[in-house]
Amino acid sequence: METLIVVGVVIVVLGIVIAVVQFASRPPKDPESWDRAEAEDYEEDWDEDYRDD
């Protein structure tokens, strides 16, 4: 009987963890809140070899 209780608790906790991860990994509803720069803005910087010192 105690084993069933432990298994039930583990399943509930695992379900909560999966739900939180799914909720946290959603992109925001407003895409403008992702303030990402466009790749074209960095194109001239990529031409330089950053390892030359």
Side-chain angles (χ1 to χ4, degrees):
M1 185 68 178
E2 292 175 4
T3 304
L4 290 176
I5 294 173
V6 170
V7 169
V9 169
V10 167
I11 290 173
V12 168
V13 169
L14 187 60
I16 292 171
V17 168
I18 291 172
V20 168
V21 168
Q22 290 293 323
F23 180 77
S25 65
R26 293 186 313 169
K29 291 180 181 177
D30 183 15
E32 292 178 4
S33 64
W34 290 42
D35 193 18
R36 293 185 175 181
E38 296 297 324
E40 292 82 24
D41 296 340
Y42 295 103
E43 193 168 320
E44 63 264 2
D45 294 338
W46 289 345
D47 293 337
E48 299 173 7
D49 190 0
Y50 62 91
R51 292 173 286 194
D52 286 342
D53 287 329

